[in-house]
Amino acid sequence: MRSPWFNKPFAILGPRPPISCLLLCFVCVLGLIAILGSTSSSVFDSVTPIPVPDVYSGYRRLKEQAAVDYLELRTISLGAGRQTELELCGREKENYVPCYNVSANLFAGFKDGEEFDRHCEISRQRERCLVRPPKDYKIPLRWPAGRDAIWSANVKITKDQFLSSGSLTKRLMLVEENQFAFHSEDGLIFDGLKDYSRQVAEMIGLGSDSEFLQAGVQSVLDIGCGFGIFGAHLISLKLMPICIAAYEATGSQVQLALERGLPAMIGNFISRQLPYPPLSFDMVHCAQCGIVWDEKDGMLLIEVDRVLRPGGYFVLTSPASNPHGSSLSTKKRSTLTPIEEFTEEICWNLIAQQDETFIWQKTVDVHCYKSRKHGALPLCNDVHNTPYYQPLVSCISGTTSNRWIPIQNRSSGPHLSSAELVGHGVQPEDFFEDSQVWRSALRNYWSLLSPIIFSDHPKRPGDEDPTPPYNMVRNVMDMNAQYGGLNAALLEEEKLVWVMNVVPVRAPNTLPLVLDRGFAGVMHDWCEPFPTYPRTYDMLHANGLLSHLSSERCAMMDLFLEMDRILRPEGWVVFSDKLGAIEMARALAMQIHWEARVIDLDNGSDQRLLVCQKPFMKK
């Protein structure tokens, strides 16, 4: 029997409802209370101001604040969204390179060599985990010692693979107990690299290879670069080589060259254009690079022609390239090889042949193409040409470009003339202002980061005493390079680093200007993985990249995982961006175990620096 107080409401409101209705109402009230409680909590989180860090002008202050920043950010990341730190991937992914999955490519129907090509569209979804270093991984030796000796456990190439390499490689490389050691410049023997480099220089009419720069050769695309032997020599001559080689699941030339601190990236000529604009390199070099150049109706040579500047050289060293003996002076030969016949069609001149080395020079006369016989290759329409892994073409590029300037007439070094800048659509005063900004920025970077990056661990156990400024950084990837201002500032300050300048595909295309300054550069879509092996860069620099990508289709966590993959253990990341983007980046950095600290530049702007370091994690 119900109590009288239970019956009073129904005397006022009317007949008693069923018990089920009462239970339903009770559940709804509880749900409403829960929703209001969670909403109020999230609103509180969103309006709670995030403390703006102080200006850090000294390392001791910065180091003390790092622990505070860590605890503060951990609280934020765990309290808002309950984000968890990511775990390490399995051992099978120690050398994982996304977009290169031969079995998946074969299953998708790719064949005739295209299964070894880059296909990011095949595996968009991938496990979110951190690529771990190999079991016996060691931090690379400092530059320049690290150029001549690397830890064998850091790369995937085995002793057996080394022993099966060519004789020249064996002469220039030694296998020690736990190192691969390369001969220094003084150790090169008569029939080694120094003699080969001098031979190439003499074949193009120079007295020695020290005159390459005077002849207009600043940048070299080295195809199938072996273990970086030739590239290391070119760097000693103050040239900028970029090594490209095909992906190899067993570890490749690219991985080893980058481990030595030399410029390199995965790239091949199987079916797609390289991510460089037309007229990008002064020399293209292929020494036994394994490419059959007369295949695919000459399209591989057309791709070389596309990236080669007017007056540039194509150097081919291969026993298979010498069907007519060793003399170029043979008169009135009755037949031409397919390569020789095709190079005449694209206005190349075979200027020298010695032993197994052939050198062609690309014409500087743009009218040469109009004077060819009827039925020759057509000229491309380059107006909207964006060379980001587009299919190979069967037409000649660059002939209508205002960058059609013979290499002998171009400015030497990073300082372009006013006419060259205007040809790139850049006003000289804007370029000068950008250069000034980066000179100032680098001074600020060096002042703020030198105690952290360059002197934090001035000596490791077993190392010799280093020479100041204790440079622990050999290479830098500038992920949003624009004009290459950071690269130019580093050169002016004589810092011993090289920079891979990356121009995002949806940013203004300044890559032609970057390459014309003699820098290493490439076009890339940061919604996709970068074509390199894990642990290949000492520092990543991203100026405005996060704001640029905020409207893109890619997830920021995927970008951070990719950055972690290509960054070496104990490597550094420097973000420069707006405060909102920096706070978001700091939260993501904590999820992947980076140490992260914010620096207020104290210039009255919304810009902040976020300096992160990747730890050396093993399991």
Side-chain angles (χ1 to χ4, degrees), residues 401-444:
S401 172
N402 51 17
R403 296 174 56 236
W404 186 277
I405 303 173
I407 62 172
Q408 297 80 1
N409 298 344
R410 292 175 56 249
S411 298
S412 178
H415 305 293
L416 303 183
S417 68
S418 296
E420 288 171 324
L421 291 172
V422 172
H424 285 285
V426 176
Q427 294 302 315
E429 54 270 21
D430 294 338
F431 183 79
F432 176 77
E433 181 180 353
D434 181 80
S435 299
Q436 291 294 96
V437 166
W438 281 108
R439 289 189 187 103
S440 175
L442 182 63
R443 285 193 294 269
N444 290 335

Side-chain angles (χ1 to χ4, degrees), residues 329-349:
S329 60
T330 304
K331 297 182 179 180
K332 303 295 183 181
R333 291 182 298 204
S334 58
T335 61
L336 292 175
T337 68
I339 293 180
E340 291 171 317
E341 185 175 1
F342 194 82
T343 53
E344 287 187 1
E345 186 175 346
I346 58 178
C347 290
W348 289 6
N349 180 31

Side-chain angles (χ1 to χ4, degrees), residues 525-536:
D525 183 349
W526 280 117
C527 292
E528 300 177 351
F530 192 82
T532 191
Y533 289 82
R535 304 171 298 277
T536 50

Side-chain angles (χ1 to χ4, degrees), residues 326-536:
S326 60
S327 174
L328 182 65
S329 60
T330 304
K331 297 182 179 180
K332 303 295 183 181
R333 291 182 298 204
S334 58
T335 61
L336 292 175
T337 68
I339 293 180
E340 291 171 317
E341 185 175 1
F342 194 82
T343 53
E344 287 187 1
E345 186 175 346
I346 58 178
C347 290
W348 289 6
N349 180 31
L350 181 60
I351 61 172
Q353 174 188 345
Q354 184 174 333
D355 301 325
E356 298 173 346
T357 299
F358 287 65
I359 300 182
W360 286 267
Q361 185 174 27
K362 180 175 178 176
T363 185
V364 300
D365 181 13
V366 73
H367 301 292
C368 170
Y369 301 102
K370 296 180 180 179
S371 62
R372 295 170 302 159
K373 61 184 179 181
H374 180 72
L377 284 170
L379 304 183
C380 299
N381 178 9
D382 294 323
V383 177
H384 302 293
N385 181 25
T386 303
Y388 187 68
Y389 300 106
Q390 296 296 315
L392 293 173
V393 297
S394 55
C395 57
I396 296 174
S397 301
T399 57
T400 60
S401 172
N402 51 17
R403 296 174 56 236
W404 186 277
I405 303 173
I407 62 172
Q408 297 80 1
N409 298 344
R410 292 175 56 249
S411 298
S412 178
H415 305 293
L416 303 183
S417 68
S418 296
E420 288 171 324
L421 291 172
V422 172
H424 285 285
V426 176
Q427 294 302 315
E429 54 270 21
D430 294 338
F431 183 79
F432 176 77
E433 181 180 353
D434 181 80
S435 299
Q436 291 294 96
V437 166
W438 281 108
R439 289 189 187 103
S440 175
L442 182 63
R443 285 193 294 269
N444 290 335
Y445 282 4
W446 218 260
S447 174
L448 289 166
L449 305 181
S450 286
I452 308 170
I453 297 177
F454 302 103
S455 301
D456 197 14
H457 304 287
K459 183 178 179 181
R460 297 184 183 280
D463 283 2
E464 297 179 358
D465 290 333
T467 302
Y470 311 127
N471 192 348
M472 296 170 65
V473 175
R474 302 181 299 174
N475 60 4
V476 177
M477 175 182 281
D478 195 352
M479 300 173 69
N480 189 18
Q482 198 178 14
Y483 301 151
L486 177 63
N487 194 158
L490 286 166
L491 281 178
E492 289 182 6
E493 293 295 323
E494 298 183 345
K495 306 302 182 185
L496 297 177
V497 299
W498 63 268
V499 180
M500 177 61 78
N501 297 276
V502 181
V503 175
V505 292
R506 289 171 185 81
N509 186 11
T510 55
L511 184 57
L513 187 152
V514 169
L515 293 170
D516 283 357
R517 300 184 76 178
F519 300 157
V522 67
M523 185 173 288
H524 184 65
D525 183 349
W526 280 117
C527 292
E528 300 177 351
F530 192 82
T532 191
Y533 289 82
R535 304 171 298 277
T536 50

